[in-house]
Amino acid sequence: MLPPRRLEGLLKQALYLQSQQCTYHNTPFPVSSSLLVDHTCSRERFPSETKQILEHRDEVLHCAWSYSGLYLATGALDGSLYIWKYNPQCYQLMEDKLIEVLFSVGYIAWSPDDTMICVCGVEKCPDALVYTVTGSSAVLKCKITQSPEDVLTKCAWSPDSRYVYTGGQQGQFYKYDLHTSTVYKWEGVRLHGVATLSDHKTVLAADSHKRVRTYNFDENTDSTLFECEQQIVSMSLSSDEKFCLLTLAKQGLLTIDVASGAFVRKFYGVAQKDYHLNAFFGGVNEEFIVSGSEDHKVYVYRRNCSTPILKLDGHSSVGSCVSWNPVYTDCFVSGSDDANVRLWAPPLPSDDSECSSGTQV
């Protein structure tokens, strides 16, 4: 005897499977689809067109959306750090604040409560700076520094916005308590990337030995999660903490399963040889991956497919950084050595859009 509503369940499974096979599907499930034809989304509803260009004075090295999706931070080689306010109806960013940092802005991380930003430099920068960004202006809250010989180029926040984890390629790895200014050290870790898990204990770190390792500062324990054949250029973590995305030197991208440490998939096409690039999860349920590239293009992949679904033109130099809006998932940004940040959104506006388009490009 069939269980109740069995047919309805089977139809939902069929629609879900079709949404997974749809190249440009970027809307929440359940999908609005007729049972008479297979479900297909148009590229016109997918972020694939430049809606706005933001201009810096120098090469853009990093960009990061706030957790609310309403603010974007972009940093450049000349030390300028812009914070932009986002209007999701118009696909438009407006300058909110400009922070003149004393070093090149190589990495930016928002605190989970969106009240602070941690900023790191490039190469031989010994400091990480934390700014309070609520209100009409940004205020320097603290400087994380231990020695002028340190190199601090990566950072990540604890889930409660109390601790900052930071380090770099000279072997420094610190946990900084913003409440007490206490610094906890882990010697000898040459960081290429860092991320934190929601258990408030585990920190993931990519290092110069081609490994992703887990660290627990409270219990002073560590273990290897995954080993690569090539050097890791950058690392990012999916918001559900299931997948870790690695950019590899001259070898494209790959994902690993965080729970098991198992290899999941490799992604081909991105050109990486001499420059630091980053890649990012994004879209509804983070079913997509976006990456910059040395061939000036922006590459977009479905998470379940190794070849790109889009190669977006627009930048005139290396696409060094990308970030996908975590809330308004129909847009992402890319930054480049051409000193521009591009906002990518669907060519056709959404049905509830109050504006026909964003700022003209």
Side-chain angles (χ1 to χ4, degrees), residues 23-34:
T23 301
Y24 300 114
H25 185 81
N26 191 33
T27 56
F29 185 80
V31 298
S32 298
S33 181
S34 169

Side-chain angles (χ1 to χ4, degrees), residues 17-79:
L17 180 60
Q18 289 184 32
S19 72
Q20 292 296 294
Q21 296 175 341
C22 175
T23 301
Y24 300 114
H25 185 81
N26 191 33
T27 56
F29 185 80
V31 298
S32 298
S33 181
S34 169
L35 296 175
L36 302 178
V37 295
D38 287 344
H39 171 79
T40 303
C41 290
S42 168
R43 175 176 167 173
E44 300 300 303
R45 297 290 185 181
F46 191 84
S48 55
E49 180 178 276
T50 299
K51 291 292 185 179
Q52 188 179 12
I53 298 176
L54 310 174
E55 295 183 354
H56 270 265
R57 300 185 298 261
D58 208 336
E59 300 170 10
V60 178
L61 302 181
H62 203 248
C63 52
W65 288 101
S66 64
Y67 285 79
S68 69
L70 292 175
Y71 291 91
L72 173 71
T74 60
L77 187 66
D78 64 355

Side-chain angles (χ1 to χ4, degrees), residues 79-341:
S80 59
L81 171 62
Y82 284 92
I83 298 178
W84 313 84
K85 189 171 184 178
Y86 182 52
N87 183 333
Q89 282 74 41
C90 298
Y91 300 122
Q92 186 173 0
L93 288 152
M94 298 294 291
E95 183 181 334
D96 186 64
K97 300 178 183 69
L98 170 60
I99 306 169
E100 296 289 356
V101 183
L102 297 178
F103 49 74
S104 298
V105 179
Y107 199 87
I108 306 164
W110 287 84
S111 62
D113 62 7
D114 278 351
T115 64
M116 294 172 285
I117 280 182
C118 185
V119 183
C120 293
V122 297
E123 296 179 349
K124 298 183 179 181
C125 179
D127 306 324
L129 305 180
V130 176
Y131 291 90
T132 300
V133 293
T134 55
S136 59
S137 61
V139 178
L140 181 63
K141 181 178 178 67
C142 65
K143 178 189 290 187
I144 304 172
T145 184
Q146 291 295 295
S147 165
E149 303 301 318
D150 284 356
V151 174
L152 305 181
T153 55
K154 303 291 182 182
C155 60
W157 291 83
S158 64
D160 58 4
S161 301
R162 175 172 176 172
Y163 301 99
V164 172
Y165 297 87
T166 184
Q169 296 184 28
Q170 292 299 316
Q172 295 80 31
F173 190 15
Y174 300 137
K175 174 184 177 182
Y176 183 84
D177 188 334
L178 270 71
H179 291 185
T180 65
S181 300
T182 304
V183 178
Y184 306 88
K185 301 180 182 179
W186 202 301
E187 298 291 344
V189 182
R190 299 179 183 274
L191 279 184
H192 286 204
V194 61
T196 59
L197 301 189
S198 57
D199 62 3
H200 293 260
K201 297 185 299 182
T202 307
V203 183
L204 298 182
D207 64 27
S208 60
H209 295 288
K210 309 174 186 177
R211 306 172 300 184
V212 177
R213 310 194 79 227
T214 64
Y215 294 87
N216 185 321
F217 277 76
D218 297 335
E219 300 175 5
N220 196 32
T221 58
D222 61 310
S223 63
T224 298
L225 181 67
F226 186 80
E227 293 189 47
C228 301
E229 296 180 356
Q230 298 293 327
Q231 193 62 259
I232 300 171
V233 176
S234 64
M235 177 184 77
S236 62
L237 183 68
S238 63
S239 60
D240 61 9
E241 302 176 1
K242 292 182 178 180
F243 301 101
C244 185
L245 174 62
L246 305 176
T247 301
L248 302 180
K250 305 178 183 179
Q251 291 292 321
L253 318 173
L254 66 80
T255 49
I256 60 175
D257 183 281
V258 173
S260 66
F263 166 81
V264 177
R265 181 168 282 103
K266 196 166 184 179
F267 302 87
Y268 301 94
V270 168
Q272 194 289 324
K273 183 179 179 182
D274 300 315
Y275 292 84
H276 184 282
L277 309 177
N278 76 341
F280 211 79
F281 292 104
V284 171
N285 299 323
E286 295 190 325
E287 294 288 347
F288 298 93
I289 289 171
V290 62
S291 176
S293 180
E294 290 186 16
D295 62 6
H296 309 174
K297 300 180 187 295
V298 177
Y299 284 71
V300 183
Y301 301 82
R302 282 197 69 87
R303 203 175 65 196
N304 60 4
C305 182
S306 295
T307 56
I309 63 171
L310 289 174
K311 300 177 185 178
L312 302 175
D313 294 307
H315 288 296
S316 59
S317 189
V318 174
S320 54
C321 57
V322 291
S323 185
W324 205 306
N325 194 304
V327 177
Y328 304 99
T329 54
D330 60 348
C331 74
F332 60 82
V333 293
S334 60
S336 169
D337 285 7
D338 63 12
N340 290 330
V341 176

